[in-house]
Coordinates of all heavy atoms in Angstrom, one line a residue:
M1 N -45.2 0.3 41.6 CA -44.4 0.6 40.4 C -43.0 0.1 40.5 O -42.4 0.2 41.6 CB -44.3 2.2 40.3 CG -45.2 2.8 39.3 SD -45.0 4.5 39.1 CE -46.2 5.1 40.3
E2 N -42.6 -0.6 39.5 CA -41.3 -1.2 39.5 C -40.2 0.0 39.3 O -40.5 0.9 38.6 CB -41.2 -2.1 38.3 CG -39.9 -2.9 38.3 CD -39.9 -4.0 37.2 OE1 -40.9 -4.2 36.6 OE2 -38.8 -4.5 36.9
E3 N -39.1 -0.2 39.9 CA -38.1 0.8 39.8 C -36.7 0.1 39.5 O -36.6 -1.1 39.7 CB -37.9 1.5 41.2 CG -39.0 2.5 41.4 CD -39.0 3.7 40.5 OE1 -37.9 4.1 40.0 OE2 -40.1 4.3 40.4
F4 N -35.8 0.8 39.1 CA -34.4 0.3 39.1 C -33.5 1.4 39.5 O -33.9 2.6 39.5 CB -34.0 -0.3 37.7 CG -34.5 0.6 36.5 CD1 -33.7 1.7 36.2 CD2 -35.6 0.2 35.8 CE1 -34.1 2.4 35.1 CE2 -35.9 1.0 34.7 CZ -35.2 2.1 34.4
D5 N -32.3 1.1 39.7 CA -31.3 2.0 40.2 C -31.0 3.1 39.1 O -30.8 2.7 37.9 CB -30.0 1.2 40.5 CG -29.0 2.1 41.3 OD1 -28.6 3.2 40.8 OD2 -28.5 1.6 42.3
M6 N -30.9 4.3 39.5 CA -30.6 5.4 38.5 C -29.2 5.3 37.9 O -28.9 5.9 37.0 CB -30.9 6.8 39.1 CG -32.3 7.0 39.4 SD -33.4 7.0 38.0 CE -33.0 8.5 37.2
D7 N -28.4 4.4 38.5 CA -27.0 4.2 38.0 C -27.0 3.1 37.0 O -25.9 2.8 36.4 CB -26.1 3.9 39.1 CG -25.8 5.0 40.1 OD1 -25.8 6.2 39.6 OD2 -25.6 4.8 41.3
T8 N -28.1 2.5 36.7 CA -28.2 1.4 35.7 C -27.9 1.9 34.3 O -28.3 3.0 33.9 CB -29.6 0.8 35.7 OG1 -30.0 0.3 37.0 CG2 -29.8 -0.3 34.7
I9 N -27.1 1.1 33.6 CA -26.7 1.5 32.2 C -27.4 0.4 31.4 O -27.3 -0.8 31.7 CB -25.2 1.5 32.1 CG1 -24.6 2.6 32.9 CG2 -24.8 1.6 30.6 CD1 -23.1 2.6 32.9
F10 N -28.0 0.8 30.3 CA -28.7 -0.2 29.4 C -27.9 -0.2 28.1 O -27.3 0.8 27.6 CB -30.1 0.3 29.1 CG -31.0 0.0 30.3 CD1 -31.4 1.0 31.2 CD2 -31.5 -1.3 30.5 CE1 -32.3 0.7 32.2 CE2 -32.3 -1.6 31.6 CZ -32.7 -0.6 32.4
V11 N -28.1 -1.4 27.4 CA -27.6 -1.6 26.1 C -28.7 -2.2 25.3 O -29.7 -2.7 25.9 CB -26.3 -2.5 26.0 CG1 -25.2 -1.9 26.7 CG2 -26.7 -3.9 26.6
F12 N -28.6 -2.2 24.0 CA -29.7 -2.8 23.1 C -29.5 -4.3 23.2 O -28.4 -4.8 23.2 CB -29.6 -2.3 21.7 CG -29.8 -0.8 21.6 CD1 -28.8 0.0 21.1 CD2 -31.0 -0.2 22.0 CE1 -29.0 1.4 21.0 CE2 -31.2 1.1 22.0 CZ -30.2 1.9 21.5
A13 N -30.6 -5.0 23.2 CA -30.5 -6.5 23.2 C -30.1 -6.9 21.8 O -30.2 -6.2 20.8 CB -31.9 -7.0 23.5
E14 N -29.5 -8.1 21.8 CA -29.0 -8.7 20.6 C -30.1 -8.9 19.5 O -31.2 -9.2 19.9 CB -28.4 -10.1 20.8 CG -27.7 -10.7 19.6 CD -27.0 -12.0 20.0 OE1 -26.6 -12.2 21.1 OE2 -26.9 -12.8 19.0
G15 N -29.9 -8.5 18.3 CA -30.8 -8.7 17.3 C -31.8 -7.5 17.1 O -32.6 -7.5 16.2
V16 N -31.7 -6.5 17.9 CA -32.6 -5.3 17.8 C -32.1 -4.4 16.6 O -30.9 -4.1 16.6 CB -32.7 -4.5 19.1 CG1 -33.4 -3.2 18.9 CG2 -33.3 -5.3 20.2
K17 N -32.9 -4.1 15.7 CA -32.6 -3.2 14.6 C -33.5 -2.0 14.5 O -34.7 -2.1 15.0 CB -32.6 -4.0 13.3 CG -31.7 -5.2 13.3 CD -31.6 -5.8 11.9 CE -30.8 -7.0 11.8 NZ -29.4 -7.0 12.4
T18 N -33.1 -0.9 13.9 CA -33.9 0.2 13.8 C -33.9 0.7 12.4 O -32.9 0.5 11.6 CB -33.4 1.4 14.8 OG1 -32.1 1.7 14.4 CG2 -33.5 1.0 16.2
R19 N -34.9 1.5 12.0 CA -35.0 2.1 10.7 C -35.6 3.5 10.9 O -36.7 3.6 11.5 CB -35.8 1.2 9.8 CG -35.8 1.7 8.3 CD -36.5 0.8 7.4 NE -37.9 0.8 7.7 CZ -38.7 -0.3 7.5 NH1 -38.2 -1.4 7.1 NH2 -40.0 -0.2 7.7
E20 N -34.9 4.5 10.3 CA -35.5 5.8 10.4 C -36.7 5.9 9.5 O -36.8 5.4 8.4 CB -34.4 6.8 9.8 CG -33.2 7.0 10.6 CD -33.3 7.8 11.8 OE1 -34.2 8.7 11.8 OE2 -32.5 7.6 12.8
E21 N -37.7 6.6 10.0 CA -39.0 6.8 9.3 C -39.4 8.3 9.5 O -38.8 9.0 10.3 CB -40.1 5.9 9.9 CG -39.8 4.4 9.8 CD -40.0 3.9 8.3 OE1 -40.6 4.6 7.5 OE2 -39.5 2.8 8.1
D22 N -40.3 8.7 8.7 CA -40.8 10.1 8.8 C -41.4 10.4 10.2 O -41.2 11.5 10.6 CB -41.9 10.4 7.7 CG -41.3 10.4 6.3 OD1 -40.1 10.6 6.2 OD2 -42.1 10.2 5.4
F23 N -42.0 9.5 10.8 CA -42.7 9.7 12.1 C -41.7 9.6 13.2 O -42.0 10.0 14.4 CB -43.8 8.7 12.3 CG -43.3 7.2 12.2 CD1 -42.7 6.6 13.3 CD2 -43.5 6.5 11.1 CE1 -42.2 5.3 13.2 CE2 -43.1 5.2 11.0 CZ -42.5 4.6 12.0
G24 N -40.5 9.0 13.0 CA -39.5 8.9 14.1 C -38.6 7.7 13.8 O -37.7 7.7 12.9
L25 N -38.9 6.6 14.5 CA -38.0 5.4 14.4 C -38.8 4.1 14.5 O -39.8 4.0 15.3 CB -37.0 5.4 15.5 CG -35.8 4.5 15.5 CD1 -34.8 4.9 14.3 CD2 -35.0 4.5 16.8
L26 N -38.5 3.2 13.6 CA -39.1 1.8 13.7 C -38.1 0.9 14.3 O -37.0 0.8 13.9 CB -39.5 1.4 12.3 CG -40.3 0.1 12.2 CD1 -41.7 0.2 12.8 CD2 -40.4 -0.4 10.8
V27 N -38.5 0.2 15.4 CA -37.7 -0.7 16.1 C -38.2 -2.1 15.9 O -39.4 -2.4 16.0 CB -37.7 -0.4 17.7 CG1 -36.8 -1.4 18.4 CG2 -37.3 1.0 17.9
I28 N -37.3 -3.0 15.5 CA -37.6 -4.3 15.1 C -36.7 -5.3 15.8 O -35.5 -5.1 16.0 CB -37.4 -4.5 13.6 CG1 -38.2 -3.5 12.8 CG2 -37.8 -6.0 13.2 CD1 -37.8 -3.3 11.4
S29 N -37.3 -6.4 16.4 CA -36.5 -7.4 17.0 C -37.1 -8.8 16.7 O -38.2 -8.9 16.2 CB -36.5 -7.2 18.5 OG -37.6 -7.6 19.2
K30 N -36.4 -9.8 17.0 CA -36.8 -11.2 16.7 C -37.9 -11.6 17.7 O -38.7 -12.5 17.4 CB -35.7 -12.1 16.8 CG -34.6 -11.9 15.8 CD -33.4 -12.9 16.1 CE -32.3 -12.5 15.1 NZ -31.1 -13.4 15.3
T31 N -38.0 -10.9 18.9 CA -38.9 -11.4 19.9 C -40.2 -10.5 20.0 O -41.1 -10.9 20.8 CB -38.2 -11.4 21.3 OG1 -37.7 -10.0 21.5 CG2 -37.0 -12.3 21.3
T32 N -40.2 -9.4 19.4 CA -41.4 -8.5 19.5 C -41.9 -8.0 18.2 O -41.1 -7.9 17.2 CB -41.1 -7.3 20.4 OG1 -40.1 -6.5 19.8 CG2 -40.7 -7.7 21.8
P33 N -43.1 -7.6 18.1 CA -43.6 -7.0 16.8 C -42.8 -5.6 16.6 O -42.2 -5.1 17.6 CB -45.0 -6.7 17.0 CG -45.4 -7.3 18.4 CD -44.2 -7.7 19.1
A34 N -42.9 -5.1 15.5 CA -42.3 -3.8 15.2 C -42.9 -2.7 16.1 O -44.1 -2.8 16.4 CB -42.5 -3.4 13.7
L35 N -42.1 -1.9 16.6 CA -42.5 -0.8 17.5 C -42.1 0.5 16.9 O -41.0 0.7 16.5 CB -41.8 -1.0 18.8 CG -42.0 0.1 19.9 CD1 -43.5 0.0 20.4 CD2 -41.1 -0.1 21.1
S36 N -43.1 1.4 16.7 CA -42.8 2.7 16.2 C -42.7 3.7 17.3 O -43.4 3.8 18.3 CB -44.0 3.2 15.2 OG -45.2 3.2 15.9
L37 N -41.6 4.5 17.2 CA -41.3 5.5 18.2 C -41.4 6.9 17.6 O -40.9 7.1 16.5 CB -39.8 5.4 18.7 CG -39.4 4.0 19.3 CD1 -38.0 4.1 19.8 CD2 -40.4 3.7 20.5
N38 N -42.1 7.8 18.3 CA -42.3 9.1 17.8 C -40.9 9.9 18.0 O -40.0 9.3 18.6 CB -43.5 9.9 18.5 CG -43.3 10.0 20.0 OD1 -42.2 10.0 20.5 ND2 -44.4 10.2 20.6
I39 N -40.9 11.1 17.7 CA -39.6 11.9 17.7 C -39.1 12.0 19.2 O -37.9 11.8 19.4 CB -39.9 13.3 17.2 CG1 -40.2 13.2 15.7 CG2 -38.6 14.2 17.4 CD1 -39.2 12.6 14.8
D40 N -40.0 12.2 20.2 CA -39.6 12.3 21.5 C -39.0 10.9 22.1 O -38.0 10.9 22.7 CB -40.7 12.7 22.5 CG -41.1 14.2 22.1 OD1 -40.3 15.0 21.7 OD2 -42.3 14.5 22.4
S41 N -39.7 9.8 21.7 CA -39.3 8.5 22.1 C -38.0 8.2 21.4 O -37.1 7.5 22.0 CB -40.3 7.5 21.8 OG -41.5 7.7 22.5
K42 N -37.8 8.6 20.2 CA -36.6 8.3 19.4 C -35.4 9.1 20.1 O -34.3 8.5 20.2 CB -36.8 8.8 18.0 CG -35.5 8.7 17.2 CD -35.7 9.3 15.8 CE -34.4 9.5 15.1 NZ -34.5 10.2 13.8
F43 N -35.7 10.3 20.6 CA -34.6 11.0 21.3 C -34.1 10.2 22.5 O -32.9 10.1 22.7 CB -35.2 12.4 21.7 CG -34.2 13.3 22.5 CD1 -33.3 14.0 21.7 CD2 -34.2 13.4 23.8 CE1 -32.4 14.8 22.4 CE2 -33.3 14.2 24.5 CZ -32.4 14.9 23.8
I44 N -35.0 9.7 23.3 CA -34.6 8.9 24.4 C -33.9 7.6 23.9 O -32.8 7.2 24.5 CB -35.8 8.5 25.3 CG1 -36.4 9.8 25.9 CG2 -35.5 7.4 26.3 CD1 -37.7 9.6 26.6
W45 N -34.4 6.9 22.9 CA -33.8 5.7 22.4 C -32.4 6.0 22.0 O -31.5 5.2 22.3 CB -34.6 5.2 21.2 CG -34.1 4.0 20.6 CD1 -33.2 3.9 19.5 CD2 -34.4 2.6 21.0 NE1 -32.9 2.6 19.2 CE2 -33.6 1.8 20.1 CE3 -35.2 2.0 21.9 CZ2 -33.7 0.4 20.2 CZ3 -35.2 0.7 22.0 CH2 -34.5 -0.2 21.1
N46 N -32.1 7.1 21.4 CA -30.8 7.4 20.9 C -29.8 7.7 22.1 O -28.6 7.7 21.9 CB -30.8 8.5 19.9 CG -31.4 8.1 18.6 OD1 -31.3 7.0 18.2 ND2 -32.0 9.0 17.9
L47 N -30.3 8.0 23.3 CA -29.5 8.2 24.4 C -29.0 6.9 25.1 O -28.1 6.9 25.9 CB -30.2 9.1 25.4 CG -30.5 10.5 25.0 CD1 -31.4 11.2 26.0 CD2 -29.2 11.3 24.7
I48 N -29.6 5.8 24.7 CA -29.2 4.5 25.3 C -28.0 4.1 24.5 O -28.1 3.7 23.3 CB -30.4 3.5 25.1 CG1 -31.6 4.0 25.9 CG2 -29.9 2.1 25.6 CD1 -32.9 3.1 25.6
D49 N -26.8 4.2 25.1 CA -25.6 4.0 24.4 C -24.6 3.0 25.1 O -23.5 2.9 24.6 CB -24.9 5.3 24.1 CG -24.6 6.1 25.3 OD1 -24.7 5.6 26.5 OD2 -24.1 7.2 25.2
G50 N -25.1 2.4 26.2 CA -24.2 1.5 26.9 C -23.1 2.3 27.7 O -22.3 1.7 28.4
K51 N -23.2 3.6 27.8 CA -22.3 4.4 28.6 C -23.0 5.3 29.6 O -22.6 5.4 30.7 CB -21.5 5.3 27.6 CG -20.6 4.5 26.7 CD -19.9 5.5 25.7 CE -19.2 4.6 24.6 NZ -18.8 5.4 23.5
R52 N -24.2 5.8 29.2 CA -24.9 6.7 30.0 C -25.8 5.9 31.0 O -26.5 5.0 30.6 CB -25.9 7.6 29.2 CG -25.3 8.7 28.5 CD -26.4 9.6 27.9 NE -25.8 10.7 27.1 CZ -25.7 10.6 25.8 NH1 -26.1 9.5 25.1 NH2 -25.1 11.6 25.1
S53 N -25.8 6.3 32.2 CA -26.7 5.7 33.2 C -28.1 6.3 33.0 O -28.3 7.3 32.2 CB -26.2 6.0 34.6 OG -26.3 7.4 34.9
V54 N -29.1 5.7 33.7 CA -30.4 6.3 33.6 C -30.4 7.8 34.1 O -31.0 8.6 33.5 CB -31.4 5.5 34.5 CG1 -32.8 6.1 34.5 CG2 -31.5 4.0 33.9
A55 N -29.6 8.0 35.2 CA -29.5 9.4 35.7 C -28.9 10.3 34.6 O -29.3 11.5 34.4 CB -28.6 9.4 36.9
G56 N -27.9 9.8 33.8 CA -27.3 10.6 32.8 C -28.3 10.9 31.7 O -28.3 12.0 31.1
I57 N -29.1 9.9 31.3 CA -30.1 10.1 30.3 C -31.1 11.1 30.8 O -31.5 12.0 30.0 CB -30.8 8.8 30.0 CG1 -29.8 7.8 29.2 CG2 -32.0 9.0 29.1 CD1 -30.3 6.4 29.1
L58 N -31.5 11.0 32.0 CA -32.5 12.0 32.6 C -31.9 13.4 32.5 O -32.6 14.3 32.2 CB -32.8 11.6 34.0 CG -33.8 12.5 34.8 CD1 -35.1 12.6 34.0 CD2 -33.9 12.1 36.2
S59 N -30.6 13.6 32.8 CA -30.0 14.9 32.8 C -30.1 15.5 31.4 O -30.4 16.7 31.3 CB -28.5 14.8 33.2 OG -27.9 16.0 33.2
V60 N -29.8 14.7 30.4 CA -29.9 15.2 29.0 C -31.4 15.6 28.7 O -31.6 16.6 28.1 CB -29.4 14.2 28.0 CG1 -29.6 14.6 26.6 CG2 -27.9 13.9 28.2
I61 N -32.3 14.7 29.1 CA -33.7 15.0 28.8 C -34.2 16.3 29.5 O -34.9 17.1 28.9 CB -34.6 13.8 29.3 CG1 -34.3 12.6 28.4 CG2 -36.1 14.2 29.3 CD1 -34.9 11.3 28.9
E62 N -33.7 16.5 30.8 CA -34.1 17.7 31.5 C -33.5 19.0 30.9 O -34.2 20.0 31.0 CB -33.6 17.6 33.0 CG -34.4 16.6 33.8 CD -33.9 16.3 35.2 OE1 -32.7 16.6 35.4 OE2 -34.7 15.9 36.0
D63 N -32.4 18.8 30.2 CA -31.8 20.0 29.5 C -32.6 20.3 28.2 O -32.6 21.4 27.8 CB -30.4 19.7 29.1 CG -29.4 19.7 30.3 OD1 -29.8 20.3 31.4 OD2 -28.3 19.2 30.2
E64 N -33.2 19.3 27.7 CA -33.9 19.4 26.4 C -35.4 19.7 26.5 O -36.0 20.3 25.6 CB -33.7 18.1 25.6 CG -34.0 18.2 24.1 CD -33.1 19.1 23.3 OE1 -31.9 19.3 23.7 OE2 -33.6 19.6 22.3
Y65 N -36.1 19.1 27.5 CA -37.5 19.2 27.7 C -37.9 19.8 29.0 O -37.2 19.7 30.0 CB -38.1 17.8 27.6 CG -38.0 17.1 26.3 CD1 -36.9 16.3 26.0 CD2 -39.0 17.3 25.3 CE1 -36.8 15.7 24.7 CE2 -38.9 16.6 24.1 CZ -37.8 15.9 23.8 OH -37.7 15.2 22.6
E66 N -39.1 20.4 29.0 CA -39.7 20.9 30.2 C -40.9 20.1 30.5 O -41.5 19.6 29.6 CB -40.1 22.4 30.0 CG -38.9 23.3 29.9 CD -39.4 24.8 29.8 OE1 -40.5 25.1 30.2 OE2 -38.6 25.6 29.4
G67 N -41.3 20.0 31.7 CA -42.5 19.3 32.0 C -42.4 18.6 33.4 O -41.3 18.5 34.0
E68 N -43.5 18.1 33.8 CA -43.5 17.4 35.1 C -43.3 15.9 34.9 O -43.5 15.3 33.8 CB -44.9 17.6 35.7 CG -45.2 19.0 36.1 CD -46.5 19.2 36.8 OE1 -47.0 18.2 37.3 OE2 -47.0 20.3 36.8
N69 N -42.8 15.3 35.9 CA -42.6 13.8 36.0 C -41.7 13.3 34.9 O -41.9 12.2 34.4 CB -44.0 13.1 35.9 CG -44.9 13.6 37.0 OD1 -44.4 13.6 38.2 ND2 -46.1 13.8 36.7
L70 N -40.7 14.0 34.5 CA -39.8 13.5 33.4 C -39.1 12.2 33.9 O -38.9 11.3 33.1 CB -38.7 14.6 33.1 CG -39.2 15.8 32.3 CD1 -38.1 16.8 32.1 CD2 -39.9 15.4 31.0
Q71 N -38.7 12.2 35.1 CA -38.0 10.9 35.6 C -39.0 9.8 35.5 O -38.6 8.7 35.0 CB -37.5 11.1 37.0 CG -36.9 9.9 37.6 CD -36.3 10.0 38.9 OE1 -35.9 11.1 39.4 NE2 -36.1 8.9 39.7
R72 N -40.2 9.9 36.0 CA -41.2 8.9 36.0 C -41.5 8.4 34.6 O -41.6 7.2 34.3 CB -42.5 9.3 36.7 CG -43.6 8.3 36.6 CD -43.5 7.3 37.7 NE -42.9 6.0 37.1 CZ -42.1 5.2 37.7 NH1 -41.8 5.4 38.9 NH2 -41.7 4.1 37.1
R73 N -41.6 9.4 33.7 CA -41.9 9.0 32.3 C -40.7 8.3 31.6 O -40.9 7.3 30.8 CB -42.2 10.3 31.5 CG -43.6 10.8 32.0 CD -43.9 12.3 31.6 NE -43.9 12.5 30.2 CZ -43.9 13.7 29.7 NH1 -43.9 14.8 30.4 NH2 -43.8 13.9 28.4
L74 N -39.5 8.7 31.9 CA -38.3 8.0 31.4 C -38.3 6.6 32.0 O -38.1 5.6 31.2 CB -37.0 8.8 31.8 CG -35.7 8.0 31.6 CD1 -35.5 7.7 30.1 CD2 -34.5 8.8 32.1
V75 N -38.4 6.4 33.3 CA -38.4 5.1 33.9 C -39.4 4.2 33.3 O -39.2 3.1 32.9 CB -38.5 5.2 35.4 CG1 -38.7 3.8 36.0 CG2 -37.2 5.8 36.0
D76 N -40.6 4.7 33.1 CA -41.7 3.9 32.5 C -41.4 3.5 31.1 O -41.6 2.3 30.7 CB -43.0 4.7 32.5 CG -43.7 4.9 33.8 OD1 -43.3 4.2 34.8 OD2 -44.6 5.8 33.9
M77 N -40.8 4.4 30.3 CA -40.4 4.0 28.9 C -39.3 2.9 28.9 O -39.4 2.0 28.2 CB -39.9 5.2 28.2 CG -39.6 4.9 26.7 SD -39.2 6.4 25.8 CE -40.8 7.2 25.8
L78 N -38.3 3.1 29.8 CA -37.2 2.1 29.9 C -37.8 0.8 30.3 O -37.3 -0.3 29.8 CB -36.1 2.6 30.8 CG -35.3 3.8 30.3 CD1 -34.4 4.3 31.3 CD2 -34.6 3.5 29.0
L79 N -38.7 0.8 31.3 CA -39.3 -0.5 31.7 C -40.0 -1.2 30.6 O -40.0 -2.4 30.5 CB -40.2 -0.2 32.9 CG -39.5 0.1 34.2 CD1 -40.6 0.5 35.3 CD2 -38.7 -1.1 34.7
V80 N -40.7 -0.4 29.7 CA -41.4 -1.0 28.6 C -40.4 -1.6 27.6 O -40.5 -2.7 27.2 CB -42.3 0.0 27.9 CG1 -42.8 -0.5 26.5 CG2 -43.5 0.4 28.8
F81 N -39.4 -0.8 27.3 CA -38.3 -1.3 26.4 C -37.7 -2.6 27.0 O -37.5 -3.6 26.2 CB -37.2 -0.3 26.2 CG -37.6 0.9 25.4 CD1 -36.8 2.1 25.5 CD2 -38.7 0.9 24.6 CE1 -37.1 3.2 24.8 CE2 -39.0 2.1 23.8 CZ -38.2 3.2 23.9
Q82 N -37.5 -2.6 28.3 CA -36.9 -3.8 28.9 C -37.8 -5.0 28.9 O -37.5 -6.1 28.6 CB -36.5 -3.5 30.4 CG -35.7 -4.5 31.1 CD -35.3 -4.1 32.4 OE1 -36.0 -3.4 33.1 NE2 -34.1 -4.6 32.9
K83 N -39.1 -4.7 29.2 CA -40.1 -5.8 29.2 C -40.3 -6.4 27.8 O -40.5 -7.6 27.7 CB -41.4 -5.3 29.7 CG -42.5 -6.3 29.8 CD -43.8 -5.7 30.4 CE -44.9 -6.8 30.5 NZ -46.1 -6.3 31.0
L84 N -40.1 -5.6 26.8 CA -40.3 -6.1 25.4 C -39.0 -6.8 24.9 O -38.9 -7.3 23.8 CB -40.6 -4.9 24.5 CG -42.0 -4.3 24.6 CD1 -42.2 -3.1 23.8 CD2 -43.1 -5.4 24.3
G85 N -37.9 -6.8 25.8 CA -36.7 -7.4 25.4 C -35.9 -6.6 24.4 O -35.0 -7.2 23.7
L86 N -36.1 -5.3 24.3 CA -35.3 -4.5 23.4 C -34.1 -3.9 24.0 O -33.1 -3.6 23.3 CB -36.2 -3.3 23.0 CG -37.5 -3.7 22.3 CD1 -38.4 -2.4 22.0 CD2 -37.2 -4.4 21.0
I87 N -34.0 -3.8 25.3 CA -32.8 -3.3 26.0 C -32.6 -4.3 27.2 O -33.5 -5.0 27.7 CB -32.9 -1.9 26.5 CG1 -34.1 -1.7 27.5 CG2 -33.1 -0.9 25.4 CD1 -34.1 -0.3 28.2
Q88 N -31.3 -4.2 27.7 CA -31.0 -5.0 28.9 C -29.9 -4.3 29.6 O -29.2 -3.4 29.1 CB -30.5 -6.4 28.4 CG -29.3 -6.4 27.5 CD -29.0 -7.7 26.9 OE1 -29.9 -8.5 26.7 NE2 -27.7 -7.9 26.5
K89 N -29.8 -4.6 30.9 CA -28.8 -4.0 31.7 C -27.4 -4.4 31.2 O -27.2 -5.5 30.8 CB -28.9 -4.4 33.2 CG -30.2 -3.9 33.8 CD -30.3 -4.3 35.2 CE -31.6 -3.8 35.8 NZ -31.8 -4.2 37.2
A90 N -26.5 -3.4 31.1 CA -25.1 -3.6 30.7 C -24.3 -4.5 31.6 O -24.6 -4.5 32.8 CB -24.4 -2.3 30.4

């Protein structure tokens, strides 16, 4: 499994746009097809602000959600966003 430092801070890649939808959020970029995010994924997306580290995002998620493997699930989601070219390291 690929990992990155929990101190990593992400920003949105250039050209990424979002649109609020009933189901959550629609993410559009020049390099990938439209991606629909449900409410939970939208919550995480909105925490990517160029200021919070991955550890900071995880802290907010842990305050809001209960469950196992929250860190693993967050890292997996960020890796997908990064692989799709939607976010990049600040």
Side-chain angles (χ1 to χ4, degrees):
M1 257 182 267
E2 188 177 347
E3 288 290 336
F4 46 77
D5 191 309
M6 292 300 285
D7 292 328
T8 301
I9 296 172
F10 285 101
V11 295
F12 300 118
E14 186 176 332
V16 173
K17 299 190 184 308
T18 60
R19 185 174 70 210
E20 295 281 334
E21 298 288 344
D22 291 337
F23 57 79
L25 193 68
L26 186 64
V27 180
I28 304 163
S29 79
K30 296 176 184 176
T31 59
T32 61
L35 178 67
S36 59
L37 302 181
N38 65 20
I39 298 297
D40 295 332
S41 299
K42 176 185 169 188
F43 181 79
I44 292 170
W45 180 267
N46 287 332
L47 295 174
I48 301 169
D49 61 4
K51 298 174 187 167
R52 285 187 186 94
S53 65
V54 175
I57 292 171
L58 178 61
S59 177
V60 173
I61 291 169
E62 288 174 335
D63 288 345
E64 193 69 27
Y65 292 91
E66 291 183 20
E68 295 182 22
N69 302 316
L70 290 176
Q71 179 176 336
R72 176 80 260 148
R73 291 164 56 193
L74 170 63
V75 168
D76 288 347
M77 183 174 295
L78 293 174
L79 286 171
V80 168
F81 290 162
Q82 188 177 33
K83 184 177 180 180
L84 292 173
L86 300 174
I87 61 173
Q88 61 194 25
K89 292 179 182 179

